[in-house]
Amino acid sequence: MASPPDAALTDYERLREENIRRNDAILASLRRKASELSAAIQSSSSSKRPKKQPPPPRATPIPVVLRRSLRTRGLPPSTSTSSSSAASPPAPESPPEAPCSTRLSSSLASAILAAASASPAAPPPVRDDGFDAGAELVLRPSHVRRVVPDRILSVRVLPLVDRTVVAAGNKLGNVGFWDVDGGAVAGADGVFEYLPHRGPVGAIVSHPATPQKIYSCCYEGEICLMDLEKENFNMIYLTDYPIFSLCQAPNSPSSLYLAEGNDLKLFDERMGKVSATWNLHDNRINSIDFHPENTYMLATSSTDGTACMWDLRNMKEKEPESLKVLEHGRSVQSAYFSPSGCMVATTSLDDTVRIFSVDDFGNSSIMKHNNKTGRWLSTFKAIWGWNDTDLFIGNMARAIDIILVDLNGSSLLAMNNARLESEHMTAIPGRFSAHPYKVGHLACASSGGKVFLWTRA
């Protein structure tokens, strides 16, 4: 009689076979339940599809309340007590009409027009070789004004023979005017504030032949003309690229040379369009300045670390060739000709102020100067005064350094001559402008919106 098949298996092998049969039964039961559940889900989803839920509504953003003093808002002093104001939360303030308007004040417009008509011959800027700035300039308490809010990027003393009007542009797009001689008539300390631009104001220019026309440019690609007769600002040029600097040709007030990024463009106001474009640098152009005598010669400075001399008569629109390239270690913030045109002074972030002889650029002098202003202050730009011997530049000690320059034949020397300090200079001066007709009227602007006017003692 034959033995059963499991007779030859050991106890361990029989236990293994029982475990396998039990696991197979469990898996078969799980597969059956899974198939039944899947069929039920498919039938329910096909019969009724759920509706898509709408997105939750967005929360209403809480408006940011800007706190501004009554003085800056152009309002009279309030008589309400502090307890009543603390009982209810402040409502969002609408911007003041006067500072944020492009409508000019009739008193400011009439004052500038009257001063412009007083000198129709447009005399050349005055020079005074014997003027001693270090000994004669003082800052009076009455010659300090907050012209615009926030950091000033450009300042200009208008070319008016018998009047002192300072224009300043800030990083918010404001352009302010300080009528120094007519403060009592104008009211509000002689300060008028407007908002013609959408971004930082890079330059303000006005030609001595047409002082009633005041141009300003901004980093948002705008050029505005202040129309004194219509008492408003007109946008005459708009581009998609930032405009960092602006300059007028000495012999043609309607020819505007603008630094649009790396390019230099000629905008003819009479034609209302750009008539020429030159790609001059590898990075943004920071300044444009014409030679006072040779009107075809100009100087540019750039963030690419160079300052270049150009001859407009020989500049080709494609790959223009410069007369001279002045290399610097870092970005060059400015390059300005001296009043006679014999020299050009540059200011660079490599902590130098360099002076070059135009007749021989190898004849130069280098002055060490701390030009690291940081990101919150306007960069330093050294300017010439009323002669070929004085350069003015701000410093981090809330003072003005006067650099003495001496060009004698083949020898060019520069040295720190004096420092202008005053207890009324409460901020670091970054940008400067000298009155073209009043020797000893030097305006400097700070990153807090203040303008300081130094005058003769």
Side-chain angles (χ1 to χ4, degrees):
M1 183 176 178
S3 60
D6 293 342
L9 299 177
T10 64
D11 294 339
Y12 292 104
E13 290 174 344
R14 282 194 296 271
L15 181 59
R16 177 175 175 273
E17 291 295 335
E18 291 177 2
N19 290 337
I20 291 174
R21 285 193 294 269
R22 186 171 63 254
N23 291 338
D24 289 340
I26 295 173
L27 290 175
S29 176
L30 292 175
R31 292 191 187 99
R32 184 172 60 255
K33 292 180 179 180
S35 60
E36 293 175 356
L37 181 61
S38 177
I41 292 175
Q42 290 179 359
S43 61
S44 63
S45 61
S46 60
S47 62
K48 184 178 181 181
R49 184 181 300 273
K51 294 183 179 180
K52 186 177 181 180
Q53 297 294 330
R58 293 185 177 180
T60 304
I62 300 175
V64 179
V65 179
L66 300 178
R67 301 182 61 186
R68 299 184 61 184
S69 65
L70 296 177
R71 176 181 172 273
T72 59
R73 291 159 53 193
L75 300 176
S78 176
T79 57
S80 60
T81 60
S82 59
S83 59
S84 60
S85 61
S88 59
E93 299 176 357
S94 59
E97 181 178 355
C100 294
S101 172
T102 58
R103 189 77 180 174
L104 295 179
S105 167
S106 58
S107 59
L108 174 65
S110 59
I112 298 178
L113 285 174
S117 61
S119 55
V126 296
R127 293 187 57 190
D128 189 349
D129 294 333
F131 176 65
D132 187 353
E136 298 186 43
L137 288 181
V138 296
L139 179 62
R140 297 177 173 85
S142 59
H143 284 169
V144 179
R145 288 290 189 281
R146 186 179 298 277
V147 179
V148 290
D150 219 292
R151 177 155 56 109
I152 295 178
L153 298 178
S154 55
V155 63
R156 179 74 59 180
V157 179
L158 301 186
L160 305 173
V161 176
D162 297 325
R163 201 177 188 94
T164 302
V165 178
V166 183
N170 68 358
K171 72 172 189 177
L172 304 178
N174 299 92
V175 175
F177 295 88
W178 175 19
D179 187 5
V180 180
D181 300 328
V185 178
D189 294 335
V191 175
F192 302 85
E193 182 189 333
Y194 308 97
L195 185 62
H197 293 287
R198 298 175 299 163
V201 181
I204 300 173
V205 297
S206 181
H207 199 280
T210 56
Q212 70 276 11
K213 289 188 174 182
I214 304 168
Y215 303 87
S216 56
C217 68
C218 84
Y219 293 3
E220 294 294 331
E222 303 167 346
I223 296 180
C224 287
L225 168 62
M226 179 180 176
D227 192 334
L228 293 172
E229 295 180 351
K230 296 181 179 180
E231 298 182 3
N232 60 8
F233 288 86
N234 295 324
M235 186 182 299
I236 61 174
Y237 180 73
L238 179 63
T239 181
D240 294 331
Y241 302 96
I243 301 176
F244 298 108
S245 186
L246 189 65
C247 187
Q248 291 174 281
N251 56 350
S252 178
S254 61
S255 298
L256 299 176
Y257 290 82
L258 55 112
E260 187 174 313
N262 308 358
D263 298 336
L264 176 69
K265 293 189 175 184
L266 170 58
F267 178 78
D268 193 333
E269 185 196 352
R270 296 167 298 183
M271 300 173 58
K273 65 178 182 179
V274 173
S275 59
T277 301
W278 303 275
N279 184 257
L280 301 186
H281 289 272
D282 295 332
N283 210 322
R284 58 175 276 183
I285 299 175
N286 295 317
S287 70
I288 310 167
D289 191 41
F290 274 90
H291 193 284
E293 301 293 339
N294 301 328
T295 57
Y296 55 83
M297 185 178 182
L298 61 87
T300 58
S301 65
S302 172
T303 305
D304 64 8
T306 64
C308 297
M309 307 295 124
W310 307 91
D311 188 339
L312 288 175
R313 300 171 299 179
N314 302 324
M315 285 175 59
K316 301 178 181 179
E317 292 198 13
K318 293 185 178 180
E319 299 181 357
E321 296 183 0
S322 62
L323 296 175
K324 183 65 178 179
V325 178
L326 306 175
E327 299 283 350
H328 294 68
R330 292 187 63 187
S331 171
V332 184
Q333 296 300 302
S334 63
Y336 297 133
F337 287 104
S338 63
S340 68
C342 296
M343 293 173 287
V344 61
T346 64
T347 308
S348 173
L349 295 185
D350 63 1
D351 288 344
T352 62
V353 176
R354 308 188 187 199
I355 303 96
F356 301 87
S357 171
V358 174
D359 295 332
D360 179 13
F361 289 100
N363 185 13
S364 63
S365 180
I366 301 178
M367 284 289 301
K368 297 296 294 183
H369 188 273
N370 180 18
N371 296 329
K372 294 183 176 65
T373 57
R375 61 178 298 185
W376 305 114
L377 302 178
S378 298
T379 55
F380 293 142
K381 294 185 176 184
I383 71 162
W384 297 90
W386 300 269
N387 49 48
D388 281 12
T389 58
D390 291 334
L391 274 172
F392 300 94
I393 186 172
N395 62 37
M396 298 301 291
R398 298 180 181 178
I400 303 173
D401 289 330
I402 302 178
I403 299 176
L404 177 64
V405 182
D406 182 18
L407 176 61
N408 187 6
S410 60
S411 174
L412 196 162
L413 300 176
M415 60 180 294
N416 285 320
N417 180 33
R419 171 174 289 190
L420 298 177
E421 296 177 302
S422 172
E423 60 178 340
H424 309 300
M425 181 86 80
T426 57
I428 297 173
R431 301 297 162 86
F432 292 80
S433 179
H435 199 303
Y437 299 117
K438 293 184 178 181
V439 176
H441 279 56
L442 178 69
C444 56
S446 70
S447 294
K450 284 187 177 182
V451 173
F452 308 89
L453 181 64
W454 291 76
T455 56
R456 275 181 159 169

